[in-house]
Amino acid sequence: DAGITQSPRHKVTETGTPVTLRCHQTENHRYMYWYRQDPGHGLRLIHYSYGVKDTDKGEVSDGYSVSRSKTEDFLLTLESATSSQTSVYFCAISVGRSVGDTQYFGPGTRLTVL
Amino acid sequence: SQQGEEDPQALSIQEGENATMNCSYKTSINNLQWYRQNSGRGLVHLILIRSNEREKHSGRLRVTLDTSKKSSSLLITASRAADTASYFCATDARIQGAQKLVFGQGTRLTINP
């Protein structure tokens, strides 16, 4: 599983509250990613990071921010959660030198925004 | 429309039969990957095929790539109940000036005992 953990694994929150999801890796990989998975949309990239303090937007970045102050941690923040952000969130890392290399996924966080 | 689209969306077969899933894409790619996702779990990488390869095998998995048709297929031979999962293709392509790994919506495979 490439030593990827996500926390929390489940969260229920209310509209308008801030939420932070954490992804932690143990193997010092450069690239880390946040995806959301929704029925009918498959897996969509939210943000990714190519190093400490180096991040970029993905396909569905609106309403989300990320931070990476240490190689091993990549945080996803929903500043003010909305019901449309109810989803399953996956963190991933890639072991190569490119965004297109093989990715390894964490177990996911199921977020429900009421 | 999607960069990567799997077909069929759902497939149900008997244990022991072969399962074939297809993936079509739109832009030039460096590689194409297949992933499996069991219910409630993260995606697991199965196999990667590069744009200059036409076929690749891994155990009971066989992947083909036809860059002229912009399509790939995943064949699982002698299926088992444990193969029940969703299968996703992902293409390494340049989208809007940036390299991305783009996932399709998946094929849900059910193996009936």
Side-chain angles (χ1 to χ4, degrees):
Chain A
D1 64 356
I4 304 167
T5 57
Q6 293 183 231
S7 59
R9 294 293 313 281
H10 301 271
K11 187 169 182 67
V12 179
T13 192
E14 293 188 350
T15 297
T17 59
V19 176
T20 296
L21 308 183
R22 179 179 182 245
C23 177
H24 179 78
Q25 59 149 328
T26 59
E27 300 185 5
N28 224 32
H29 295 294
R30 178 182 175 194
Y31 286 94
M32 298 184 75
Y33 311 84
W34 276 108
Y35 292 91
R36 60 178 290 175
Q37 185 175 35
D38 306 285
H41 291 279
L43 211 64
R44 293 180 292 175
L45 181 65
I46 304 171
H47 282 281
Y48 69 100
S49 170
Y50 46 96
V52 173
K53 293 186 170 40
D54 292 324
T55 65
D56 205 351
K57 295 179 179 180
E59 181 185 358
V60 289
S61 59
D62 288 348
Y64 302 94
S65 62
V66 290
S67 66
R68 192 165 177 202
S69 59
K70 299 185 292 184
T71 300
E72 58 266 35
D73 289 328
F74 192 31
L75 304 181
L76 177 70
T77 297
L78 291 65
E79 302 289 349
S80 178
T82 68
S83 58
S84 65
Q85 293 176 311
T86 292
S87 186
V88 181
Y89 292 84
F90 288 99
C91 173
I93 60 100
S94 55
V95 300
R97 300 179 182 177
S98 161
V99 170
D101 286 333
T102 298
Q103 294 188 9
Y104 295 87
F105 286 78
T109 294
R110 185 173 295 275
L111 176 67
T112 302
V113 183
L114 302 175
Chain B
S1 56
Q2 300 281 347
Q3 159 66 354
E5 294 188 6
E6 287 94 342
D7 172 63
Q9 290 188 336
L11 178 62
S12 180
I13 62 173
Q14 295 300 120
E15 193 167 18
E17 294 179 340
N18 295 341
T20 299
M21 289 157 273
N22 303 295
C23 172
S24 60
Y25 58 92
K26 297 189 181 302
T27 68
S28 296
I29 61 171
N30 295 316
N31 69 62
L32 185 145
Q33 303 175 38
W34 286 92
Y35 289 78
R36 182 187 75 234
Q37 184 180 33
N38 291 93
S39 181
R41 311 289 288 274
L43 277 71
V44 174
H45 179 256
L46 295 176
I47 198 165
L48 180 153
I49 186 165
R50 301 199 181 279
S51 60
N52 60 354
E53 298 175 309
R54 291 296 169 259
E55 187 171 313
K56 207 162 182 179
H57 297 256
S58 177
R60 294 183 295 112
L61 306 181
R62 172 179 170 249
V63 169
T64 61
L65 179 64
D66 187 334
T67 53
S68 66
K69 294 181 179 178
K70 290 186 169 58
S71 68
S72 173
S73 67
L74 170 67
L75 169 67
I76 303 174
T77 61
S79 64
R80 305 168 181 169
D83 295 327
T84 293
S86 292
Y87 291 82
F88 296 86
C89 69
T91 50
D92 170 20
R94 197 155 191 85
I95 307 289
Q96 296 177 336
Q99 208 68 24
K100 298 279 173 60
L101 192 64
V102 181
F103 289 82
Q105 295 187 28
T107 292
R108 184 175 300 163
L109 175 65
T110 302
I111 309 298
N112 302 303

